[in-house]
Amino acid sequence: MIRFEDVELRRGGQVLIGGASFGIHPGWRVGLTGANGCGKSSLLAALRGELAPDAGRIAMPRDWVCAHLPQEVEASPRRAVDYVLDGDAALRALQERLERCRDGTEHGRLYAEIDAIDGWSAEARARQLLAGLGFAPGDPDRAVAEFSGGWRMRLGLARTLMTRSDLLLLDEPTNHLDFEAILWLEGWLTRYPGTLIVIAHDRRFLDSVVSHIAHIEHRQVQLYTGNYSAAERRRAEVVAQTEAAARRVAEERAHLERFVARFRAKATKARQAQSRLKRLEKLDEVALLRAARPMHLRIPAPDRLPDPLLRLDHAGVRVDGRVRLRPTTLRLRPDDRIGILGPNGAGKSTLLAVLAGLLPLTEGARVVEPGLVVGHFAQHQREQLDDAASPLLHLQRLGSNRAEQELRNLLGAFGFAGTRADLPVAGLSGGERVRLVLAMLVCQGPSVLLLDEPTNHLDLDMREALAEALEDYAGALVVVSHDRDLLARACDRFWRVRAGQVEEYDGDLDDYARELSQLRSGTATLGIAGSQAGPAERDGGRERRREAARQREALKPLRKAAEREESRCVHLQEELRALEARLGDPGLYEQGSGGDLEELLQRQGRLRAELEAAEAAWLEALAVFEDAQARP
């Protein structure tokens, strides 16, 4: 087994991990989680022997072979399949000895050794790895140098998986993969017989693959049994012991108890009172999970939502004679929440660029309402930030009329609280740069959000906060993402893009995953959307999405009504707290202040009565919303 004994890891003078002691048994599949910069990659480097612990020791069996994902794959004239086969060091050593061998007896012995390790089928297995990771049939025979950086990283992953390893270390293996390749990788890793330690920020990937979670927080490593969702719940129980979490639980409990006490005896309110009682029973679990997430985002409602917001009329794009987008007619309406499916290179990013007006059309037209703000997020934007400017200055340069404090509050929600909003961008990590670009996008108040892989480089807490914000966003949303949790939560319709052709997909993510699985097993081909699913499955997936859209639209005014009442309660609570702070001033009770004191006391009484009425109205609105939610 792997043993960590009082391990300390530092970066410069900063302690990343201190006093870590735990063990990882053979065959465990461990997900390594924690906020960006907490020391996950440093821990993997220590396991590889590239970084010595500053204190303590890491012990593992000496005969274990360790395979790890390279940080980059250099361009070379070597065939892709040969590069992948190089990962099998034992086979390559035998092949090299065989080439030099001149003795007939030794020659036969080497043949037997290659046969014993199944070496004769190695190239076929390497080609299967490449196919699973999305390479086309002719790609294995192309030179490594012919592939782009992202595809070379896939080659590096294939070579790593080809290694006969006892310990497999993967740092963000899904970053350069599309939906299809991630599903394939999940299946491969669940069958891997050795010990796996993987860093990933994809909740569904971790839930599917790992058997344990090692979470780094406050310079400590805590080991949990189970997948990420199970570990998150146990983390939440610990977080809830803090004063802040306890206060949140107490405040919501007080609201619910007041409602129950006031309306339980009334026949017309009995149902709502029973609903509140059930919420009280589950309150701790719900509040704990919320308290465990340090970031909470909100995307302001757009000022304008005309219908349609944007449309493409037979819009097509050709570049150097090559079709990038076939003639496409689409309409984006205010309630559209669309996920785009398809393999890398199919044209998903091209479609988003056309919708954003960033790619010139060679035929057809793009029509958008004058003055409408279309927000477009693309990965390259994080590289175009001004390294010398601060996050605050980036937002101020957008020309927004917002006050500086409002901009600082927005930056704080994206993890740039206090002085971090004033530091130069040059020192930001990849994930921090993505967060800043998202903050700039939100600051513009877009009516349409076009997001191209927005979760790359974001940790799990930030992904969760973004998913929550997109769920409540009032404008139109179009998303390209390999994060299935984000797609499932934020989208209720899907388009599929293949070879530049856009089509409506009649199914949900489960249907799509099933099609891909059938394709890999040779039982289906991806023809017209949903063609390989049975009629009942196609109709079921389509109806689920339609029902989700109908329910979302019906619930929108009820949710907004509850939010308005809650905001009124918050405003009254703040006003009452400020007033009671004034009443706590000893100088108010000195001789000659009687008139002021009397006025403040009267105002206190009125505010308390208004707050009680507002809380009743909020709970009533909340009850109506929840009853509508629960109604079949």
Side-chain angles (χ1 to χ4, degrees):
M1 66 180 293
I2 301 172
R3 294 194 308 275
F4 289 77
E5 299 174 358
D6 204 24
V7 171
E8 180 180 289
L9 296 176
R10 291 175 175 266
R11 180 170 58 198
Q14 179 187 6
V15 176
L16 298 176
I17 297 173
S21 296
F22 61 97
I24 296 176
H25 291 268
W28 281 11
R29 298 191 301 275
V30 180
L32 190 55
T33 64
N36 288 339
C38 69
K40 300 187 296 293
S41 295
S42 296
L43 192 148
L44 286 195
L47 282 167
R48 295 193 300 266
E50 298 172 3
L51 179 66
D54 294 277
R57 63 187 293 265
I58 301 174
M60 69 174 70
R62 291 186 178 182
D63 59 343
W64 271 19
V65 175
C66 176
H68 65 89
L69 191 61
Q71 292 185 341
E72 61 179 306
V73 175
E74 294 183 1
S76 79
R78 193 164 179 75
R79 283 196 317 162
V81 67
D82 291 329
Y83 173 81
V84 173
L85 279 167
D86 289 344
D88 191 341
L91 175 62
R92 285 307 199 203
L94 287 171
Q95 289 174 335
E96 185 177 348
R97 288 172 57 192
L98 188 62
E99 287 181 7
R100 297 197 309 265
C101 180
R102 297 294 180 266
D103 179 83
T105 303
E106 179 66 14
H107 202 273
R109 188 178 299 113
L110 290 172
Y111 264 79
E113 289 186 38
I114 292 175
D115 188 64
I117 63 171
D118 199 20
W120 306 114
S121 66
E123 181 166 337
R125 285 186 279 114
R127 291 178 181 272
Q128 287 175 349
L129 283 175
L130 291 170
L133 291 173
F135 288 87
D139 286 344
D141 297 306
R142 294 170 55 194
V144 172
E146 296 180 24
F147 295 95
S148 66
W151 284 95
R152 288 207 298 270
M153 290 307 298
R154 292 198 193 201
L155 287 176
L157 177 57
R159 176 173 169 148
T160 303
L161 301 183
M162 194 70 191
T163 304
R164 299 173 187 274
S165 60
D166 303 287
L167 174 63
L168 180 58
L169 305 177
L170 300 179
D171 192 345
E172 292 287 5
T174 64
N175 262 3
H176 299 280
L177 303 184
D178 51 24
F179 187 103
E180 291 82 349
I182 290 174
L183 288 175
W184 176 87
L185 180 62
E186 286 178 359
W188 195 96
L189 292 177
T190 54
R191 296 188 299 272
Y192 175 65
T195 302
L196 168 69
I197 302 178
V198 56
I199 298 173
H201 293 147
D202 185 325
R203 173 191 291 269
R204 291 202 178 189
F205 176 81
L206 289 172
D207 278 350
S208 297
V209 169
V210 306
S211 60
H212 294 75
I213 290 289
H215 185 71
I216 303 175
E217 192 171 27
H218 305 308
R219 298 186 295 277
Q220 301 296 311
V221 181
Q222 181 65 48
L223 192 65
Y224 300 93
T225 300
N227 61 18
Y228 178 78
S229 293
E232 185 183 45
R233 284 178 169 79
R234 284 192 285 277
R235 280 178 53 219
E237 293 172 4
V238 176
V239 172
Q241 304 307 314
T242 65
E243 181 180 350
R247 184 168 60 250
R248 290 181 62 184
V249 173
E251 288 175 356
E252 187 166 355
R253 182 180 294 280
H255 283 309
L256 297 176
E257 287 177 341
R258 278 196 293 271
F259 182 93
V260 172
R262 187 176 300 118
F263 297 120
R264 192 174 191 176
K266 295 184 179 180
T268 57
K269 306 294 182 185
R271 182 179 174 187
Q272 289 91 332
Q274 290 299 319
S275 174
R276 299 290 82 69
L277 283 172
K278 291 179 181 178
R279 282 189 62 196
L280 278 169
E281 293 171 2
K282 298 181 178 179
L283 176 61
D284 289 342
E285 178 183 350
V286 173
L288 304 180
L289 290 173
R290 289 178 179 173
R293 295 194 292 269
M295 292 184 181
H296 298 274
L297 305 180
R298 179 180 173 275
I299 303 175
D303 294 330
R304 300 176 58 228
L305 286 173
D307 188 4
L309 293 160
L310 184 156
R311 72 176 190 265
L312 299 182
D313 291 332
H314 303 288
V317 176
R318 287 177 178 267
V319 179
D320 297 330
R322 176 173 171 263
V323 175
R324 297 278 299 277
L325 180 69
R326 299 183 185 279
T328 299
T329 297
L330 299 172
R331 298 290 184 274
L332 270 184
R333 307 187 62 184
D335 58 349
D336 278 339
R337 314 184 66 78
I338 298 165
I340 303 182
L341 306 175
N344 282 0
K348 301 190 298 294
S349 295
T350 297
L351 175 60
L352 280 194
V354 168
L355 288 170
L358 300 178
L359 197 60
L361 299 176
T362 52
E363 57 183 301
R366 170 185 178 269
V367 181
V368 64
E369 282 289 316
L372 197 74
V373 179
V374 177
H376 178 235
F377 175 89
Q379 283 296 311
H380 66 82
Q381 289 171 311
R382 67 190 182 98
E383 307 300 337
Q384 297 174 352
L385 297 172
D386 182 354
D387 283 350
S390 67
L392 178 61
L393 184 54
H394 276 84
L395 263 60
Q396 290 172 329
R397 286 175 176 173
L398 296 174
S400 169
N401 294 324
R402 300 188 185 196
E404 179 177 322
Q405 188 56 52
E406 190 177 356
L407 296 178
R408 287 185 179 275
N409 292 342
L410 174 60
L411 287 168
F414 281 88
F416 301 102
T419 58
R420 298 196 66 199
D422 301 307
L423 298 176
V425 164
L428 298 184
S429 67
E432 289 169 331
R433 285 173 175 264
V434 170
R435 297 207 308 261
L436 176 54
V437 173
L438 288 170
M440 294 168 65
L441 203 63
V442 169
C443 185
Q444 298 172 61
S447 299
V448 179
L449 273 178
L450 309 173
L451 305 180
D452 193 352
E453 297 292 359
T455 60
N456 276 1
H457 305 285
L458 296 182
D459 61 29
L460 280 156
D461 284 332
M462 189 62 200
R463 289 186 181 210
E464 180 72 19
L466 179 61
E468 285 183 353
L470 292 178
E471 281 182 294
D472 294 331
Y473 174 56
L477 176 68
V478 184
V479 186
V480 173
S481 179
H482 62 248
D483 188 322
R484 287 157 294 165
D485 189 62
L486 179 74
L487 288 175
R489 291 174 58 177
C491 303
D492 50 38
R493 290 176 58 203
F494 294 96
W495 294 338
R496 181 161 62 185
V497 182
R498 292 178 299 163
Q501 181 70 49
V502 183
E503 58 193 9
E504 186 85 15
Y505 182 74
D506 282 339
D508 56 21
L509 290 177
D510 291 336
D511 298 324
Y512 190 61
R514 184 163 45 248
E515 282 191 17
L516 295 175
S517 177
Q518 291 172 344
L519 178 64
R520 286 194 298 272
S521 65
T523 60
T525 58
L526 287 176
I528 296 173
S531 63
Q532 298 305 319
E537 291 177 348
R538 289 200 307 273
D539 293 344
R542 182 165 53 245
E543 186 55 36
R544 283 195 297 272
R545 293 188 294 103
R546 288 175 178 170
E547 180 57 33
R550 285 195 294 267
Q551 185 179 28
R552 186 183 193 87
E553 187 62 27
L555 291 176
K556 188 182 296 183
L558 301 179
R559 184 182 67 245
K560 288 190 176 298
E563 289 173 350
R564 281 197 303 270
E565 296 298 342
E566 185 178 14
S567 296
R568 183 164 171 254
C569 288
V570 171
H571 175 74
L572 289 170
Q573 286 170 341
E574 291 175 350
E575 192 174 348
L576 184 58
R577 276 196 293 268
L579 178 62
E580 289 174 342
R582 290 184 62 190
L583 287 169
D585 180 7
L588 186 63
Y589 300 90
E590 295 177 357
Q591 191 173 5
S593 301
D596 290 343
L597 177 60
E598 182 65 25
E599 182 181 345
L600 290 175
L601 288 172
Q602 290 177 0
R603 177 61 180 157
Q604 181 188 39
R606 288 195 299 271
L607 280 174
R608 285 177 172 171
E610 288 180 37
L611 178 58
E612 185 175 352
E615 286 176 341
W618 170 58
L619 290 170
E620 179 69 12
L622 194 62
V624 172
F625 172 63
E626 289 183 345
D627 288 344
Q629 251 187 333
R631 197 175 301 133

